[in-house]
Amino acid sequence: MRFIPVTVSFLKNPHFVEVCTSCNIHFIGPSPRAMHLLEDKAVSRALAKKAGVPTPPGSEGVVGKEQEALTIAKRIGYPVMIKAVAGGGGRGMRVAHNDISLAKGYHTARSEAEKAFGNSGVYIEKYIENPHHIEIQILGDQKGHIIHLGERDCSIQRRNQKVIEESPSPLLEHKFRKLRDKNRQGRRQNRRGCALYQCRHGGIRCGQPWQFLFPRSQQTDSSGTPVTEEVTGIDLVRYQILLAMGESLATLPERHRNQRPCH
């Protein structure tokens, strides 16, 4: 089998995958359907809610007008986060604590998102103060089997960029490590290959019990992939290739299959 590397921009382009398929070229990565579902964070959020995964209070889709943003913010309560539906890397994101900062942040986030991603669409979520940023790595084969490979704690950040990733997270209790909600959403997205689910662990307001809330999922490997590989002993890049060739997750070493199955 011959492998052809491509740039990151192609890795997240569903049209590119469709062209590869039409030319009988096997793309190692998510299906075009999964990409369409994940490329827009507002759509991904709606899918998570449909699957029964808790999400922060917020808008139902893209917020197209400033007045609509103000109405949503007053409904869910300040502070809120204005977030670009496309891209990542902390761009197109603004926190608003009142009507004045919301109006300014709304237009700034849209302008920044348009310049960075060619898409000015934004949505609004309740801003989670002092959260823990948890990521869950999953693998899925073409036979519908999905497993998770534990979590990474990425809470230490600077300007919304991860600085340190730790696995396993020192925060999580055993009951949270079942991660069934993440498995359910992976099936909803027709997931195959390697994926990453991110969540925020924190209280909406002081005094409330802490809970997991889903903000987004990611369709490619991330900077934290080597951390999971080191902890589990699984070469994720190798398994992405094997799964793309039709291999089953049953080929994983027995100790890995027993440690972290998804039910």
Side-chain angles (χ1 to χ4, degrees):
M1 179 178 287
R2 185 179 180 185
F3 299 99
I4 305 173
V6 297
T7 61
V8 173
S9 59
F10 282 117
L11 290 177
K12 298 182 178 180
N13 188 328
H15 177 64
F16 174 74
V17 181
E18 291 167 349
V19 171
C20 286
T21 302
S22 67
C23 296
N24 202 28
I25 299 173
H26 199 113
F27 178 78
I28 300 177
S31 66
R33 177 178 178 272
M35 282 190 173
H36 280 297
L37 292 172
L38 295 177
E39 65 181 344
D40 186 313
K41 297 189 188 76
V43 173
S44 183
R45 168 186 159 89
L47 184 68
K49 292 180 67 175
K50 186 176 180 181
V53 179
T55 60
S59 61
E60 300 293 334
V62 174
V63 179
K65 296 182 178 180
E66 179 186 320
Q67 186 56 51
E68 182 184 359
L70 288 167
T71 301
I72 294 168
K74 289 178 180 178
R75 173 172 58 83
I76 64 177
Y78 288 107
V80 299
M81 175 72 85
I82 307 158
K83 303 172 72 173
V85 298
R91 291 171 292 182
M93 297 173 60
R94 291 293 185 277
V95 178
H97 293 272
N98 51 49
D99 290 357
I100 295 175
S101 60
L102 177 72
K104 180 180 179 181
Y106 174 78
H107 294 290
T108 302
R110 282 175 56 89
S111 176
E112 187 173 283
E114 176 65 35
K115 292 177 182 178
F117 315 122
N119 183 345
S120 64
V122 297
Y123 64 106
I124 292 178
E125 285 185 341
K126 180 69 178 178
Y127 177 62
I128 311 301
E129 299 183 84
N130 301 318
H132 279 264
H133 180 138
I134 308 295
E135 298 181 345
I136 296 97
Q137 189 80 53
I138 71 168
L139 280 175
D141 63 24
Q142 299 181 39
K143 299 175 176 61
H145 304 125
I146 299 177
I147 64 170
H148 73 79
L149 303 175
E151 79 283 346
R152 299 192 294 265
D153 194 319
C154 315
S155 302
I156 300 177
Q157 300 186 8
R158 181 176 182 269
R159 297 180 180 175
N160 296 314
Q161 291 286 305
K162 294 173 286 188
V163 177
I164 296 175
E165 302 199 28
E166 183 179 1
S167 181
S169 169
L171 174 77
L172 302 192
E173 300 175 11
H174 174 70
K175 62 181 179 180
F176 288 123
R177 290 201 165 96
K178 295 180 180 179
L179 306 174
R180 288 175 179 156
D181 286 340
K182 310 304 172 291
N183 174 49
R184 183 159 62 242
Q185 195 200 3
R187 294 185 186 280
R188 287 265 187 179
Q189 292 177 348
N190 192 27
R191 169 58 61 189
R192 72 185 187 210
C194 184
L196 181 67
Y197 289 92
Q198 300 181 8
C199 54
R200 296 289 190 273
H201 185 270
I204 296 295
R205 296 183 181 88
C206 291
Q208 288 189 342
W210 281 35
Q211 57 182 314
F212 275 107
L213 298 169
F214 170 88
R216 64 169 297 196
S217 55
Q218 186 172 317
Q219 26 185 333
T220 59
D221 286 338
S222 76
S223 58
T225 296
V227 176
T228 295
E229 290 180 325
E230 185 71 21
V231 171
T232 63
I234 296 175
D235 186 332
L236 291 176
V237 175
R238 175 174 178 267
Y239 267 95
Q240 284 185 83
I241 296 172
L242 292 175
L243 295 173
M245 294 171 63
E247 291 284 343
S248 169
L249 284 171
T251 61
L252 274 172
E254 186 69 26
R255 65 181 183 278
H256 298 314
R257 296 204 308 274
N258 289 340
Q259 279 182 348
R260 294 180 170 90
C262 281
H263 300 291

